Amino acid sequence: MKKNLFLLFVLLSAAVGVRAEKVTIAAKNIAIVLDVENGRQPQYLYFGTRLSAADEAALQLPQGGRMDAYPAYGLNTPAEAALAMRHADGNLSTALVATGVSRQGNVTTIHLEDPVYATQVDLKYKAYADVDMIEMWTEITNREKSAVTLTQFASAMLPIRRGNVWLSHLYGSWANEGRLAEEELLPGQKIIKNKDGVRNSHTDHAEVMFSLDGKGRENAGDVIGAALCYSGNYKLKVETDDTDYHYFFAGINEENSEYHLKRGETFRTPVLALTFSREGLSGASRNFHKWGRTYQLAHGNKPRKILLNSWEGVYFDINEAGMDQMMADIAGMGGELFVMDDGWFGEKYPRKNDHTSLGDWQVDRQKLPHGIEGLIADAGKHGISFGIWIEPEMTNRISELYEKHPDWIIKAPRRDAVQGRGGTQLVLDLSNPKVQDFAFGIVDGLMTRYPGIDYIKWDANMAVMNHGSQYLPMQDQSHLYIAYHEGFRKLCDRIRSKYPDLTIQACASGGGRANWGVLPWFDEFWVSDNTDALQRVYMQWGTSYFFPAIAMASHISAVPNHTVFRTTSLKYRIDVAMSGRLGMEIQPKNMTDAEKALCRQAITEYKQIRPVVQFGNIYRLQSPYDRQGVASLMYVDDARSKAVFYWWKTDNFANQHLPRIKMAGLQANRNYRVHELNRIDNKPLDFERKSFSGAYLMEHGLEIPYTHSVDHAERNEWSSRVLFLEAQ
Ligand code: GLA
């Protein structure tokens, strides 16, 4: 009560704009405290778990570091800055001091101004009462006589305490997305950045975690998590300098993107979402997932359908009979949705491969004589929903669209366009409102003609390779990347305001769009074009640091795998896919009856555990990156009465003993009955249907047999288990 009164006092005094000493931005269990004094740059006092009023009152400014809330370039030039600009008269120096604090709902604003120039900077903080997340962003307004140029414009800066701080982040490439990297922060700079222009998570990711007390542990230790919510080029920078603090800057990548801010215009930076957990890396992940499902992800509270996607099954070989057969097969296995991937469109230039037709979104009647309406009717007949693939931001040199609108593509002035996939792909210039209208029309046209479409797979298979907009004036060419993503935002907003219920997947040559900046419009993302189950254990492990299972599309595919040519067992493929948003990406026609039966069983069982997987809390238990021969994680529901435990063997050596895995997240004093899902063994596990206390499961764990007891002819090198735990 006292704490609340104190907070109220702080907030009330802030609201009336008087000189405020301490400004607290408090989410459910975490808080930022700033020292704000009019006429000075606000200072960070604290970031961590919420403090008592007494502790908060006693807070002192950390010594020996630079605690500026939003350092500007010019009057302490050796230090890194969050903001740098050229004023209208050419002056490169900026000073920012507080002029007041205001509050509206759960958003606190600290108003800053340059005492000499009419530059206003509002630092915005949005704190959620029911989740542990604080969103920060900045609004920069030019009130000078003419345009100013922004050359650095971070969303936020956070000084991170001295000591043995470790950084966890994701890296990778096409077919190898979401790899986890962990490193100690040492003096110097660590930069994580993206310059793709269109997609931003194939390689590095715009989310990081900082473990504050040595190398990160999954279920213990203090962890700060940060996610830059932006669809475009970003830069995250950690500078560890002679003060030994780690200064973390995050924002749009300013390289080749200086921004001319007109008089009266406001530049709003993307949100940096910040969390803090005392329960290790998994704890920070749970905070991201809960906040994400509640406030960011499209339909974050709606269970996802189990689908079959046609891509790896038939690639471009789309035809009516084939689609009908696939729909019948997935319906027969208990699936709920069929998605027709690439290859269904193009009249003058039918899409037979990736060389042609993007932009020509008319049905190829040769392949589909009864059109999309025919397919939707077929889906209805099989009792499932229908989805379709599009790639709205792109065209090919060989397309009717390009013939009509060569001026709509991105290319450097006076040079030929660089062509991408298929040797002919081109990126449309979304900074151009006409292109935005066209792209909106693709979705709108499909949805108007075929209101039965339930799901769209939205792909983006090319980077901005050449810098240049045919729409933007020559003096504003540096606006290209920002304007593209502003156009993308407008387009997505428009689509969502007209089609709020549509399910939309963000795909981008696989996992190029796994970012919280796009997920408010998208229901999920395709983790990777690589569906090999073993590699997926690694990729999905990393991806789960920041994204919940409900958003991670994870499909059972054929063997040998089409990317790595590895042959895993169907059981293993199922057990891995079942830890995300389960789907299939296979030609069911080529499956045996026994394989179909196993998938049918898995789909039935997934429906039972779907709420736990898709809405539960993740506890990562044994990392595949530790190379112990096994990886394991679990999801526990909010009531801690149901849990799903996954165990995947990652190596296969005779007489190699595997660590026994301790569970987490259960209630110590409750008993949980264990039931194996997707069972293939001839006999049940020793602990099948037996009950154990949460304490036992968390302190000792179950001894999982290393192999499957199946007939000799059925044996293979793969071993995995999925256990369903229910409190008694
Ligand atoms: C990209 C996607 C795939 C598939 C193909 C279609 O590579 O990541 O899933 O949709 O395009 O061309």
Side-chain angles (χ1 to χ4, degrees), residues 168 180 182 209 211 215-221 223 277 279-286 541 544-545 618-623 626 632:
S168 303
L180 178 65
E182 294 174 287
M209 288 190 195
S211 298
K215 185 167 190 291
R217 285 165 292 158
E218 282 296 350
N219 294 302
V223 175
S277 172
E279 295 176 19
L281 299 160
S282 282
S285 297
R286 290 193 289 279
W541 183 274
S544 82
Y545 266 53
I618 194 167
Y619 291 82
R620 285 180 301 264
L621 306 171
Q622 175 63 58
S623 171
D626 288 347
S632 179

Side-chain angles (χ1 to χ4, degrees), residues 7-26:
L7 278 176
L8 199 65
F9 168 74
V10 169
L11 302 176
L12 280 179
S13 60
V16 291
V18 297
R19 195 185 112 152
E21 279 301 305
K22 283 184 181 133
V23 174
T24 299
I25 295 123

Side-chain angles (χ1 to χ4, degrees), residues 174 309 311 315-316 341-343 351 354 389 391 421 457 459-461 505 507-511 526 528-529 585:
W174 174 80
N309 179 291
W311 181 241
Y315 292 102
F316 292 101
D341 209 285
D342 199 348
R351 176 92 163 165
D354 61 7
W389 178 95
E391 196 177 355
R421 187 181 185 199
K457 174 172 174 177
D459 216 332
N461 288 312
Q505 179 189 76
C507 177
S509 309
W526 185 219
S528 176
D529 277 349
E585 179 111 6

Side-chain angles (χ1 to χ4, degrees), residues 25 27 41 52 70 125 152 174 185 265-266 308 320 328 335 348 355 453 476 511 531 554 572 585 629 648 697-698 719:
I25 295 123
Q41 164 86 211
S52 68
Y70 196 67
Y125 304 86
Q152 275 176 255
W174 174 80
L185 289 177
E265 199 188 343
T266 297
L308 170 66
E320 212 164 79
K348 180 172 171 190
H355 303 187
I453 292 177
D476 286 339
T531 53
S554 184
Y572 196 84
E585 179 111 6
W648 307 286
L697 294 169
M698 293 192 290
S719 180

Side-chain angles (χ1 to χ4, degrees), residues 23 51 78 119 132 140 146 160 170 275 347 349 378-379 385 397 409 417 443 453 486 488 538 568 603 657 676 725 727:
V23 174
L51 297 171
T119 298
D132 284 329
I140 305 158
S146 54
I160 294 172
L170 306 180
T275 190
E347 273 174 345
Y349 303 107
D378 282 350
S385 309
R397 195 172 33 75
I409 62 153
V443 175
I453 292 177
E486 186 55 20
F488 183 65
Y538 290 81
T568 49
I603 288 174
H657 293 285
E676 186 186 12
L725 276 62

